[in-house]
Amino acid sequence: MAKIEIGTIPEVDFHKYDNYLDYPHLYNSINDDFTTPGLTLSDAISCQVTKSYNTFPTLQMTYPRDGVHMIDIQKDKYIMTDADYRYVHQLFKITHIQQELDEVIVEAEHISATLNDATVPDAIQFANATAQDVMNQVTNTMQPQKDFTFSSTV
């Protein structure tokens, strides 16, 4: 007869994580060094991440029109913030900026949604191709074109 022991799985106490971001940070490109703080948006009025089951997280930030970095906040730049205590240092791409009377509403999508609308319209067939060859073909036929690079050593 086999002996079965029932116990508990140790849980990570995320409340003890000490590297939360105090403010959202702005970056120019996906190729920036994210170990540096970028432009700290300490004068942001609010920054909220919304996520739900089977959707990509979205960010909505309210920023003053006369804010220190207002001229730097532009479409296709990136904002790093904490989504919640389990998803820290998440990256969002700015998709829409709405000017209001004395503030600006910035909307951004999580970078995992970047390839969401991309499709490959034709079948891709290769004989004796490397993984890099296949991914290069996917990148070349992707509609709409996206600024992605794939690399493989296989």
Side-chain angles (χ1 to χ4, degrees):
M1 179 175 215
K3 181 180 178 183
I4 299 174
E5 291 186 13
I6 299 175
T8 60
I9 299 172
E11 295 185 16
V12 176
D13 186 2
F14 291 104
H15 297 288
K16 292 182 179 178
Y17 188 75
D18 62 353
N19 202 13
Y20 292 119
L21 294 174
D22 293 328
Y23 304 103
H25 296 268
L26 183 69
Y27 295 91
N28 289 323
S29 166
I30 193 74
N31 298 319
D32 283 0
D33 181 9
F34 296 113
T35 61
T36 63
L39 294 176
T40 303
L41 304 175
S42 58
D43 51 347
I45 298 168
S46 69
C47 184
Q48 183 175 7
V49 175
T50 304
K51 60 186 177 70
S52 60
Y53 189 69
N54 283 343
T55 63
F56 294 107
T58 58
L59 174 140
Q60 186 175 38
M61 181 178 72
T62 306
Y63 196 79
R65 283 188 73 140
D66 59 350
V68 176
H69 298 294
M70 184 56 226
I71 196 162
D72 299 310
I73 297 175
Q74 299 170 8
K75 188 176 176 184
D76 294 331
K77 289 194 175 188
Y78 295 85
I79 296 175
M80 181 182 288
T81 192
D82 296 335
D84 64 19
Y85 67 92
R86 290 175 294 176
Y87 301 104
V88 296
H89 299 198
Q90 298 296 302
L91 202 58
F92 296 84
K93 184 177 182 179
I94 298 174
T95 56
H96 184 71
I97 299 173
Q98 179 180 335
Q99 304 279 342
E100 296 197 353
L101 186 60
D102 56 349
E103 59 191 25
V104 174
I105 306 298
V106 178
E107 295 177 357
E109 291 181 336
H110 193 271
I111 59 165
S112 60
T114 305
L115 286 175
N116 194 33
D117 63 340
T119 60
V120 179
D122 299 323
I124 297 175
Q125 295 180 357
F126 281 104
N128 300 323
T130 65
Q132 187 65 50
D133 293 337
V134 173
M135 294 316 295
N136 287 342
Q137 187 64 27
V138 167
T139 304
N140 293 336
T141 59
M142 183 185 305
Q143 295 297 324
Q145 286 290 312
K146 300 284 184 169
D147 185 26
F148 270 87
T149 56
F150 294 96
S151 62
S152 173
T153 58
V154 178

Coordinates of all heavy atoms in Angstrom, one line a residue, residues 10-98:
P10 N 4.0 25.8 -0.6 CA 4.4 27.1 -0.1 C 4.0 28.2 -1.1 O 4.1 28.1 -2.3 CB 5.9 26.9 0.0 CG 6.3 25.8 -0.8 CD 5.1 24.9 -0.9
E11 N 3.5 29.3 -0.5 CA 3.1 30.4 -1.3 C 4.1 31.5 -1.2 O 4.7 31.7 -0.1 CB 1.7 30.9 -0.9 CG 0.6 29.8 -1.2 CD -0.8 30.4 -0.9 OE1 -0.9 31.6 -0.7 OE2 -1.7 29.5 -0.7
V12 N 4.2 32.3 -2.2 CA 5.1 33.4 -2.2 C 4.3 34.6 -1.6 O 3.2 34.9 -2.0 CB 5.6 33.8 -3.6 CG1 6.4 35.0 -3.6 CG2 6.4 32.6 -4.2
D13 N 4.9 35.3 -0.7 CA 4.3 36.4 -0.1 C 4.7 37.7 -0.9 O 5.7 38.3 -0.7 CB 4.7 36.6 1.4 CG 3.9 37.7 2.1 OD1 3.0 38.4 1.4 OD2 4.2 38.0 3.2
F14 N 3.9 38.0 -1.9 CA 4.2 39.1 -2.8 C 4.2 40.5 -2.0 O 4.7 41.5 -2.5 CB 3.2 39.2 -3.9 CG 3.4 38.0 -4.9 CD1 2.5 36.9 -4.9 CD2 4.5 38.0 -5.8 CE1 2.7 35.9 -5.8 CE2 4.7 37.0 -6.7 CZ 3.8 35.9 -6.7
H15 N 3.5 40.5 -0.9 CA 3.4 41.8 -0.1 C 4.8 42.2 0.4 O 5.0 43.3 0.8 CB 2.4 41.7 1.0 CG 1.0 41.5 0.5 ND1 0.3 42.5 -0.2 CD2 0.2 40.4 0.4 CE1 -0.9 42.0 -0.6 NE2 -0.9 40.7 -0.2
K16 N 5.8 41.2 0.5 CA 7.1 41.6 0.9 C 8.0 42.0 -0.2 O 9.2 42.3 0.1 CB 7.7 40.3 1.6 CG 7.0 40.0 2.9 CD 7.7 38.8 3.6 CE 7.0 38.4 4.9 NZ 7.6 37.3 5.5
Y17 N 7.5 42.1 -1.4 CA 8.4 42.5 -2.5 C 8.7 44.0 -2.3 O 7.9 44.8 -2.0 CB 7.6 42.3 -3.8 CG 8.4 42.6 -5.1 CD1 9.3 41.6 -5.5 CD2 8.3 43.7 -5.8 CE1 10.1 41.8 -6.6 CE2 9.0 44.0 -6.9 CZ 9.9 43.0 -7.3 OH 10.7 43.2 -8.5
D18 N 10.0 44.3 -2.4 CA 10.5 45.6 -2.1 C 10.9 46.5 -3.3 O 11.5 47.5 -3.1 CB 11.6 45.6 -1.0 CG 12.8 44.9 -1.6 OD1 12.7 44.3 -2.7 OD2 13.8 44.9 -0.8
N19 N 10.6 46.0 -4.5 CA 11.0 46.8 -5.6 C 9.9 47.3 -6.5 O 9.9 47.3 -7.7 CB 12.0 45.9 -6.5 CG 12.9 46.6 -7.4 OD1 13.0 47.9 -7.2 ND2 13.5 46.0 -8.3
Y20 N 8.8 47.7 -5.8 CA 7.7 48.3 -6.5 C 8.1 49.7 -7.1 O 9.0 50.4 -6.6 CB 6.5 48.5 -5.6 CG 5.9 47.3 -5.1 CD1 5.8 47.0 -3.8 CD2 5.3 46.4 -6.0 CE1 5.3 45.8 -3.3 CE2 4.7 45.2 -5.6 CZ 4.7 44.9 -4.2 OH 4.1 43.8 -3.8
L21 N 7.5 50.1 -8.2 CA 7.7 51.4 -8.8 C 6.8 52.4 -8.1 O 5.6 52.2 -8.0 CB 7.4 51.3 -10.3 CG 8.3 50.5 -11.1 CD1 7.8 50.4 -12.6 CD2 9.7 51.0 -11.1
D22 N 7.4 53.5 -7.7 CA 6.6 54.6 -7.1 C 5.7 55.3 -8.1 O 4.7 55.8 -7.8 CB 7.5 55.5 -6.3 CG 8.1 54.9 -5.1 OD1 7.5 54.0 -4.5 OD2 9.2 55.3 -4.8
Y23 N 6.3 55.5 -9.3 CA 5.7 56.2 -10.4 C 5.8 55.5 -11.7 O 6.7 54.7 -11.8 CB 6.3 57.6 -10.5 CG 6.3 58.4 -9.2 CD1 7.5 58.5 -8.5 CD2 5.2 59.1 -8.8 CE1 7.5 59.3 -7.3 CE2 5.2 59.8 -7.6 CZ 6.3 59.9 -6.9 OH 6.3 60.6 -5.7
P24 N 5.0 55.8 -12.7 CA 5.2 55.3 -14.0 C 6.5 55.9 -14.6 O 6.9 57.0 -14.3 CB 4.0 55.7 -14.8 CG 3.2 56.6 -14.0 CD 3.8 56.6 -12.6
H25 N 7.1 55.1 -15.5 CA 8.4 55.5 -16.2 C 8.2 55.5 -17.7 O 7.6 54.5 -18.2 CB 9.5 54.7 -15.8 CG 9.9 54.7 -14.3 ND1 10.8 55.6 -13.8 CD2 9.4 54.1 -13.2 CE1 10.8 55.5 -12.5 NE2 10.0 54.5 -12.1
L26 N 8.7 56.5 -18.4 CA 8.5 56.6 -19.8 C 9.8 56.2 -20.5 O 10.9 56.7 -20.1 CB 8.1 58.0 -20.2 CG 7.9 58.3 -21.7 CD1 6.6 57.6 -22.1 CD2 7.8 59.8 -21.9
Y27 N 9.7 55.4 -21.6 CA 10.8 55.0 -22.4 C 10.5 55.3 -23.9 O 9.4 55.2 -24.3 CB 11.1 53.5 -22.2 CG 11.6 53.1 -20.8 CD1 10.6 52.8 -19.9 CD2 12.9 53.2 -20.5 CE1 11.0 52.5 -18.6 CE2 13.3 52.8 -19.2 CZ 12.4 52.5 -18.3 OH 12.8 52.2 -17.0
N28 N 11.6 55.6 -24.6 CA 11.4 55.9 -26.1 C 11.2 54.7 -26.9 O 10.4 54.8 -27.9 CB 12.6 56.7 -26.6 CG 12.7 58.1 -26.0 OD1 11.7 58.7 -25.8 ND2 13.9 58.5 -25.7
S29 N 11.8 53.6 -26.6 CA 11.8 52.5 -27.5 C 11.8 51.2 -26.8 O 12.1 51.1 -25.6 CB 13.0 52.6 -28.4 OG 13.3 51.4 -29.1
I30 N 11.4 50.1 -27.4 CA 11.4 48.8 -26.9 C 12.8 48.3 -26.7 O 13.1 47.4 -26.0 CB 10.6 47.8 -27.8 CG1 10.3 46.5 -27.0 CG2 11.3 47.5 -29.1 CD1 9.3 46.5 -26.0
N31 N 13.8 49.0 -27.4 CA 15.2 48.7 -27.3 C 15.9 49.4 -26.2 O 17.1 49.3 -26.1 CB 15.9 48.9 -28.6 CG 15.3 48.0 -29.7 OD1 15.0 46.9 -29.5 ND2 15.0 48.6 -30.9
D32 N 15.2 50.3 -25.4 CA 15.9 51.0 -24.3 C 16.3 50.0 -23.2 O 15.9 48.9 -23.1 CB 14.9 52.0 -23.7 CG 14.7 53.3 -24.6 OD1 15.4 53.3 -25.7 OD2 14.0 54.2 -24.2
D33 N 17.2 50.5 -22.4 CA 17.7 49.8 -21.3 C 16.7 49.9 -20.1 O 16.6 51.0 -19.5 CB 19.1 50.3 -20.9 CG 19.7 49.5 -19.7 OD1 19.1 48.5 -19.3 OD2 20.7 49.9 -19.2
F34 N 15.9 48.9 -19.8 CA 14.9 49.0 -18.8 C 15.4 48.8 -17.4 O 14.7 48.8 -16.4 CB 13.8 47.9 -19.1 CG 13.1 48.2 -20.4 CD1 13.2 47.4 -21.5 CD2 12.3 49.4 -20.5 CE1 12.5 47.7 -22.7 CE2 11.7 49.7 -21.7 CZ 11.8 48.8 -22.8
T35 N 16.7 48.6 -17.3 CA 17.3 48.6 -15.9 C 17.6 50.0 -15.4 O 17.9 50.2 -14.3 CB 18.6 47.8 -15.9 OG1 19.6 48.4 -16.8 CG2 18.4 46.3 -16.3
T36 N 17.4 51.0 -16.3 CA 17.5 52.4 -15.9 C 16.1 52.9 -15.8 O 15.2 52.4 -16.4 CB 18.3 53.2 -17.0 OG1 17.5 53.2 -18.2 CG2 19.7 52.6 -17.2
P37 N 15.9 54.0 -15.0 CA 14.6 54.4 -14.7 C 13.9 55.2 -15.9 O 12.7 55.4 -15.8 CB 14.8 55.4 -13.5 CG 16.2 55.8 -13.6 CD 16.9 54.7 -14.2
G38 N 14.5 55.5 -17.0 CA 13.8 56.2 -18.0 C 13.4 57.6 -17.5 O 14.1 58.2 -16.6
L39 N 12.4 58.2 -18.0 CA 11.8 59.4 -17.5 C 10.8 59.1 -16.5 O 9.7 58.5 -16.8 CB 11.2 60.3 -18.6 CG 12.2 60.8 -19.7 CD1 11.4 61.5 -20.8 CD2 13.2 61.7 -19.1
T40 N 11.0 59.5 -15.2 CA 10.0 59.3 -14.2 C 8.9 60.3 -14.2 O 9.1 61.5 -14.2 CB 10.7 59.3 -12.8 OG1 11.8 58.4 -12.8 CG2 9.8 59.0 -11.7
L41 N 7.7 59.7 -14.4 CA 6.5 60.6 -14.5 C 5.9 60.8 -13.1 O 4.7 60.4 -12.8 CB 5.5 59.9 -15.5 CG 6.0 59.6 -16.9 CD1 5.0 58.9 -17.7 CD2 6.5 60.9 -17.6
S42 N 6.6 61.5 -12.3 CA 6.2 61.6 -10.9 C 5.0 62.6 -10.7 O 4.4 62.6 -9.7 CB 7.4 62.1 -10.0 OG 7.9 63.3 -10.5
D43 N 4.8 63.4 -11.7 CA 3.6 64.3 -11.6 C 2.4 63.8 -12.3 O 1.4 64.5 -12.5 CB 4.0 65.7 -12.2 CG 4.6 65.6 -13.6 OD1 5.0 64.5 -14.0 OD2 4.8 66.7 -14.2
A44 N 2.4 62.5 -12.6 CA 1.1 61.9 -13.2 C 0.0 62.0 -12.1 O 0.2 61.7 -10.9 CB 1.4 60.4 -13.5
I45 N -1.2 62.3 -12.6 CA -2.3 62.4 -11.7 C -2.8 61.1 -11.2 O -3.1 60.8 -10.1 CB -3.4 63.3 -12.3 CG1 -2.9 64.7 -12.6 CG2 -4.7 63.3 -11.5 CD1 -3.8 65.5 -13.5
S46 N -2.9 60.2 -12.2 CA -3.3 58.8 -11.9 C -2.8 57.9 -13.0 O -2.5 58.3 -14.1 CB -4.8 58.7 -11.8 OG -5.4 58.8 -13.1
C47 N -2.6 56.6 -12.6 CA -2.1 55.6 -13.5 C -2.7 54.3 -13.1 O -2.5 53.8 -12.0 CB -0.6 55.5 -13.5 SG 0.1 54.4 -14.8
Q48 N -3.6 53.7 -13.9 CA -4.4 52.6 -13.6 C -4.3 51.5 -14.7 O -4.4 51.8 -15.8 CB -5.8 52.9 -13.3 CG -6.7 51.7 -12.9 CD -8.1 52.1 -12.6 OE1 -8.5 53.3 -12.8 NE2 -8.9 51.2 -12.0
V49 N -4.0 50.3 -14.2 CA -3.9 49.1 -15.2 C -5.2 48.3 -15.0 O -5.5 48.0 -13.8 CB -2.7 48.3 -14.9 CG1 -2.7 47.0 -15.8 CG2 -1.4 49.1 -15.2
T50 N -5.8 48.0 -16.1 CA -7.0 47.2 -16.0 C -6.8 45.8 -16.7 O -6.3 45.8 -17.9 CB -8.2 47.9 -16.7 OG1 -8.4 49.2 -16.1 CG2 -9.5 47.1 -16.6
K51 N -7.1 44.8 -16.1 CA -6.9 43.5 -16.7 C -8.0 42.6 -16.3 O -8.6 42.7 -15.2 CB -5.5 42.8 -16.4 CG -5.3 42.6 -14.9 CD -3.8 42.1 -14.8 CE -3.5 41.9 -13.3 NZ -4.1 40.9 -12.6
S52 N -8.4 41.7 -17.2 CA -9.5 40.7 -16.8 C -9.2 39.4 -17.6 O -8.3 39.4 -18.4 CB -10.9 41.3 -17.2 OG -10.9 41.5 -18.5
Y53 N -9.9 38.4 -17.3 CA -9.7 37.1 -17.8 C -9.7 37.1 -19.3 O -10.6 37.7 -19.9 CB -10.7 36.1 -17.2 CG -10.5 34.7 -17.6 CD1 -9.4 34.0 -17.0 CD2 -11.3 34.0 -18.4 CE1 -9.2 32.7 -17.3 CE2 -11.1 32.7 -18.7 CZ -10.0 32.0 -18.2 OH -9.8 30.7 -18.5
N54 N -8.8 36.5 -20.0 CA -8.7 36.4 -21.5 C -8.6 37.7 -22.2 O -9.0 37.8 -23.4 CB -9.9 35.6 -22.0 CG -9.8 34.1 -21.8 OD1 -8.7 33.6 -21.5 ND2 -10.9 33.4 -21.9
T55 N -8.0 38.7 -21.6 CA -7.7 40.0 -22.3 C -6.3 40.4 -21.9 O -5.8 40.0 -20.9 CB -8.7 41.1 -21.9 OG1 -8.6 41.3 -20.5 CG2 -10.1 40.7 -22.2
F56 N -5.8 41.3 -22.8 CA -4.5 41.8 -22.5 C -4.7 43.0 -21.6 O -5.7 43.8 -21.7 CB -3.8 42.3 -23.8 CG -3.5 41.2 -24.7 CD1 -4.2 40.9 -25.9 CD2 -2.4 40.3 -24.4 CE1 -3.9 39.9 -26.7 CE2 -2.1 39.3 -25.2 CZ -2.8 39.1 -26.4
P57 N -3.8 43.2 -20.6 CA -3.9 44.4 -19.7 C -3.8 45.7 -20.5 O -3.1 45.8 -21.5 CB -2.7 44.3 -18.8 CG -2.3 42.9 -18.9 CD -2.6 42.4 -20.3
T58 N -4.5 46.7 -20.0 CA -4.5 48.1 -20.6 C -4.2 49.1 -19.5 O -4.4 48.8 -18.4 CB -5.8 48.4 -21.3 OG1 -6.8 48.4 -20.3 CG2 -6.1 47.5 -22.5
L59 N -3.6 50.2 -19.9 CA -3.2 51.2 -19.0 C -3.9 52.5 -19.4 O -4.1 52.8 -20.5 CB -1.7 51.4 -19.0 CG -1.1 52.6 -18.2 CD1 0.2 52.1 -17.6 CD2 -0.8 53.8 -19.1
Q60 N -4.4 53.2 -18.4 CA -4.9 54.5 -18.6 C -4.3 55.5 -17.5 O -4.3 55.2 -16.3 CB -6.4 54.6 -18.4 CG -7.0 55.9 -18.8 CD -8.5 56.0 -18.8 OE1 -9.1 55.4 -17.9 NE2 -9.1 56.7 -19.7
M61 N -3.6 56.5 -18.1 CA -2.9 57.4 -17.2 C -3.4 58.8 -17.5 O -3.6 59.2 -18.6 CB -1.4 57.4 -17.5 CG -0.6 58.3 -16.6 SD 1.2 58.2 -16.9 CE 1.3 59.0 -18.5
T62 N -3.6 59.6 -16.4 CA -4.0 61.0 -16.5 C -2.8 61.8 -16.1 O -2.2 61.6 -15.1 CB -5.2 61.3 -15.5 OG1 -6.2 60.4 -15.8 CG2 -5.7 62.7 -15.7
Y63 N -2.4 62.7 -17.0 CA -1.2 63.5 -16.9 C -1.6 65.0 -17.1 O -2.4 65.3 -18.0 CB -0.2 63.0 -17.9 CG 1.2 63.5 -17.6 CD1 2.0 62.8 -16.6 CD2 1.8 64.6 -18.2 CE1 3.3 63.3 -16.3 CE2 3.1 65.0 -17.9 CZ 3.8 64.3 -17.0 OH 5.1 64.7 -16.7
P64 N -1.0 65.9 -16.3 CA -1.3 67.3 -16.5 C -0.7 67.9 -17.8 O 0.4 67.5 -18.2 CB -0.7 68.0 -15.3 CG 0.4 67.0 -14.8 CD -0.1 65.7 -15.2
R65 N -1.5 68.7 -18.5 CA -1.0 69.3 -19.7 C 0.3 70.1 -19.5 O 1.0 70.3 -20.5 CB -2.1 70.2 -20.3 CG -3.2 69.4 -21.0 CD -4.1 70.3 -21.7 NE -3.4 70.7 -23.0 CZ -4.0 70.9 -24.1 NH1 -5.3 70.6 -24.2 NH2 -3.4 71.3 -25.1
D66 N 0.4 70.7 -18.3 CA 1.7 71.4 -18.1 C 2.7 70.6 -17.3 O 3.6 71.2 -16.7 CB 1.3 72.7 -17.3 CG 0.6 72.5 -16.0 OD1 0.3 71.3 -15.7 OD2 0.5 73.4 -15.2
G67 N 2.6 69.3 -17.4 CA 3.5 68.4 -16.7 C 4.9 68.5 -17.2 O 5.2 68.9 -18.4
V68 N 5.9 68.1 -16.4 CA 7.3 68.2 -16.7 C 7.7 67.5 -18.0 O 8.4 68.0 -18.9 CB 8.2 67.7 -15.6 CG1 9.6 67.7 -15.9 CG2 7.9 68.5 -14.3
H69 N 7.1 66.3 -18.2 CA 7.5 65.5 -19.4 C 6.3 65.4 -20.4 O 6.3 64.5 -21.2 CB 7.9 64.1 -19.0 CG 9.1 64.1 -18.1 ND1 10.3 64.4 -18.5 CD2 9.2 63.7 -16.8 CE1 11.2 64.3 -17.5 NE2 10.5 63.9 -16.4
M70 N 5.4 66.4 -20.4 CA 4.3 66.3 -21.4 C 4.8 66.3 -22.8 O 4.2 65.6 -23.6 CB 3.4 67.6 -21.1 CG 2.1 67.6 -22.0 SD 1.2 66.1 -21.8 CE 0.8 65.7 -23.5
I71 N 5.8 67.0 -23.2 CA 6.3 67.0 -24.5 C 6.9 65.7 -24.9 O 6.9 65.3 -26.1 CB 7.3 68.2 -24.7 CG1 7.5 68.4 -26.2 CG2 8.7 67.9 -24.0 CD1 8.2 69.8 -26.5
D72 N 7.3 64.9 -24.0 CA 7.9 63.6 -24.3 C 6.9 62.5 -24.4 O 7.2 61.4 -25.0 CB 8.9 63.2 -23.1 CG 10.0 64.2 -23.0 OD1 10.7 64.5 -24.1 OD2 10.3 64.6 -21.9
I73 N 5.7 62.7 -23.9 CA 4.7 61.6 -23.9 C 4.0 61.7 -25.3 O 3.3 62.6 -25.7 CB 3.6 61.8 -22.9 CG1 4.2 61.7 -21.5 CG2 2.5 60.8 -23.0 CD1 3.3 62.0 -20.3
Q74 N 4.3 60.6 -26.1 CA 3.9 60.5 -27.5 C 3.4 59.1 -27.8 O 3.9 58.2 -27.2 CB 5.0 61.0 -28.5 CG 5.5 62.4 -28.3 CD 6.7 62.7 -29.1 OE1 7.2 61.9 -29.9 NE2 7.3 63.8 -28.8
K75 N 2.6 59.0 -28.9 CA 2.2 57.7 -29.3 C 3.4 56.8 -29.7 O 4.4 57.3 -30.2 CB 1.3 57.9 -30.5 CG 0.6 56.6 -31.0 CD -0.4 56.9 -32.1 CE -0.9 55.5 -32.5 NZ -1.8 55.7 -33.7
D76 N 3.3 55.5 -29.4 CA 4.3 54.5 -29.8 C 5.5 54.6 -28.8 O 6.5 53.9 -29.1 CB 4.8 54.6 -31.2 CG 3.7 54.2 -32.2 OD1 2.8 53.4 -31.8 OD2 3.7 54.7 -33.3
K77 N 5.5 55.4 -27.7 CA 6.5 55.3 -26.7 C 6.0 54.3 -25.7 O 4.9 53.8 -25.7 CB 6.8 56.6 -26.1 CG 7.6 57.5 -27.1 CD 8.1 58.7 -26.4 CE 9.0 59.5 -27.3 NZ 9.7 60.6 -26.6
Y78 N 6.8 54.0 -24.7 CA 6.5 52.9 -23.7 C 6.5 53.4 -22.3 O 7.3 54.3 -21.9 CB 7.5 51.8 -23.8 CG 7.5 51.1 -25.2 CD1 8.1 51.6 -26.3 CD2 6.7 50.0 -25.4 CE1 8.1 51.0 -27.5 CE2 6.6 49.4 -26.6 CZ 7.3 49.9 -27.7 OH 7.2 49.3 -28.9
I79 N 5.5 52.9 -21.5 CA 5.4 53.2 -20.1 C 5.6 51.9 -19.3 O 4.9 50.9 -19.6 CB 4.0 53.9 -19.8 CG1 3.9 55.2 -20.5 CG2 3.8 54.0 -18.3 CD1 2.5 55.8 -20.4
M80 N 6.4 52.0 -18.3 CA 6.6 50.9 -17.4 C 6.0 51.2 -16.0 O 6.2 52.3 -15.5 CB 8.1 50.5 -17.2 CG 8.3 49.4 -16.2 SD 10.0 49.0 -15.9 CE 10.5 48.3 -17.4
T81 N 5.1 50.3 -15.6 CA 4.5 50.5 -14.2 C 4.2 49.1 -13.7 O 4.3 48.1 -14.3 CB 3.2 51.4 -14.4 OG1 2.8 51.8 -13.1 CG2 2.1 50.7 -15.1
D82 N 3.7 49.1 -12.4 CA 3.3 47.9 -11.8 C 1.8 47.7 -12.0 O 1.0 48.6 -11.7 CB 3.6 47.9 -10.3 CG 5.1 48.0 -10.0 OD1 5.9 47.6 -10.8 OD2 5.4 48.5 -8.9
A83 N 1.4 46.5 -12.6 CA 0.0 46.3 -12.8 C -0.7 46.0 -11.5 O -1.8 46.4 -11.2 CB -0.1 45.1 -13.8
D84 N 0.0 45.2 -10.6 CA -0.5 44.9 -9.3 C 0.7 44.3 -8.5 O 1.8 44.2 -9.1 CB -1.8 44.1 -9.2 CG -1.6 42.7 -9.7 OD1 -0.5 42.2 -9.8 OD2 -2.6 42.0 -10.0
Y85 N 0.5 43.8 -7.3 CA 1.6 43.3 -6.6 C 2.2 42.0 -7.1 O 3.3 41.7 -6.8 CB 1.2 43.1 -5.1 CG 0.2 42.0 -4.8 CD1 0.6 40.7 -4.6 CD2 -1.2 42.3 -4.9 CE1 -0.3 39.7 -4.3 CE2 -2.1 41.3 -4.7 CZ -1.6 40.0 -4.4 OH -2.5 39.0 -4.2
R86 N 1.5 41.3 -8.0 CA 2.0 40.1 -8.6 C 2.7 40.4 -10.0 O 3.5 39.6 -10.4 CB 0.9 39.1 -8.8 CG 0.4 38.5 -7.5 CD -0.7 37.6 -7.8 NE -1.8 38.4 -8.2 CZ -3.0 38.0 -8.6 NH1 -3.2 36.7 -8.6 NH2 -3.9 38.8 -9.0
Y87 N 2.3 41.4 -10.6 CA 2.8 41.8 -12.0 C 3.5 43.1 -11.9 O 2.9 44.1 -12.2 CB 1.7 41.7 -13.0 CG 1.0 40.4 -13.1 CD1 -0.3 40.2 -12.5 CD2 1.6 39.3 -13.7 CE1 -0.9 39.0 -12.5 CE2 1.0 38.1 -13.7 CZ -0.3 38.0 -13.2 OH -0.9 36.7 -13.2
V88 N 4.7 43.1 -11.5 CA 5.5 44.4 -11.4 C 6.3 44.6 -12.6 O 6.7 43.7 -13.4 CB 6.4 44.3 -10.1 CG1 5.5 44.2 -8.9 CG2 7.4 43.2 -10.2
H89 N 6.6 45.9 -12.8 CA 7.5 46.4 -13.9 C 7.0 45.9 -15.3 O 7.7 45.3 -16.1 CB 8.9 45.9 -13.7 CG 9.6 46.4 -12.5 ND1 10.9 46.4 -12.3 CD2 9.0 47.0 -11.3 CE1 11.2 47.0 -11.1 NE2 10.0 47.3 -10.5
Q90 N 5.7 46.1 -15.5 CA 5.1 45.7 -16.8 C 5.2 46.9 -17.8 O 5.2 48.0 -17.4 CB 3.6 45.4 -16.6 CG 3.4 44.2 -15.6 CD 4.0 42.9 -16.2 OE1 3.6 42.5 -17.3 NE2 4.9 42.3 -15.5
L91 N 5.4 46.5 -19.1 CA 5.6 47.5 -20.1 C 4.4 47.6 -21.0 O 3.8 46.6 -21.4 CB 6.8 47.0 -21.0 CG 7.5 48.0 -21.8 CD1 8.1 49.1 -20.9 CD2 8.7 47.4 -22.5
F92 N 4.0 48.9 -21.3 CA 2.8 49.2 -22.1 C 3.2 50.2 -23.2 O 4.0 51.1 -23.0 CB 1.8 49.9 -21.2 CG 1.2 49.0 -20.1 CD1 1.9 48.8 -18.9 CD2 0.1 48.3 -20.3 CE1 1.4 48.0 -17.9 CE2 -0.4 47.5 -19.3 CZ 0.2 47.3 -18.1
K93 N 2.7 49.9 -24.4 CA 2.9 50.8 -25.5 C 1.8 51.8 -25.7 O 0.6 51.4 -25.7 CB 3.0 50.0 -26.8 CG 3.4 50.8 -28.0 CD 3.5 49.9 -29.2 CE 3.9 50.7 -30.4 NZ 4.1 49.8 -31.6
I94 N 2.1 53.1 -25.7 CA 1.1 54.2 -25.8 C 0.4 54.1 -27.2 O 1.1 54.1 -28.2 CB 1.7 55.5 -25.7 CG1 2.4 55.7 -24.3 CG2 0.7 56.6 -25.9 CD1 3.1 57.0 -24.0
T95 N -0.9 53.9 -27.2 CA -1.7 53.8 -28.4 C -2.6 55.0 -28.7 O -3.0 55.2 -29.9 CB -2.6 52.5 -28.3 OG1 -3.4 52.7 -27.2 CG2 -1.8 51.3 -28.3
H96 N -2.9 55.8 -27.7 CA -3.8 56.9 -27.9 C -3.6 57.9 -26.8 O -3.4 57.6 -25.7 CB -5.3 56.4 -27.8 CG -6.3 57.4 -28.1 ND1 -6.5 58.0 -29.4 CD2 -7.2 58.1 -27.3 CE1 -7.5 58.9 -29.3 NE2 -7.9 59.0 -28.1
I97 N -3.6 59.2 -27.3 CA -3.5 60.3 -26.3 C -4.6 61.3 -26.6 O -4.8 61.7 -27.7 CB -2.1 61.1 -26.5 CG1 -1.0 60.1 -26.2 CG2 -2.0 62.3 -25.6 CD1 0.4 60.7 -26.6
Q98 N -5.4 61.6 -25.6 CA -6.6 62.4 -25.7 C -6.3 63.7 -24.9 O -6.2 63.7 -23.7 CB -7.8 61.7 -25.2 CG -9.1 62.6 -25.3 CD -10.3 61.8 -24.8 OE1 -10.3 60.6 -24.8 NE2 -11.3 62.5 -24.3

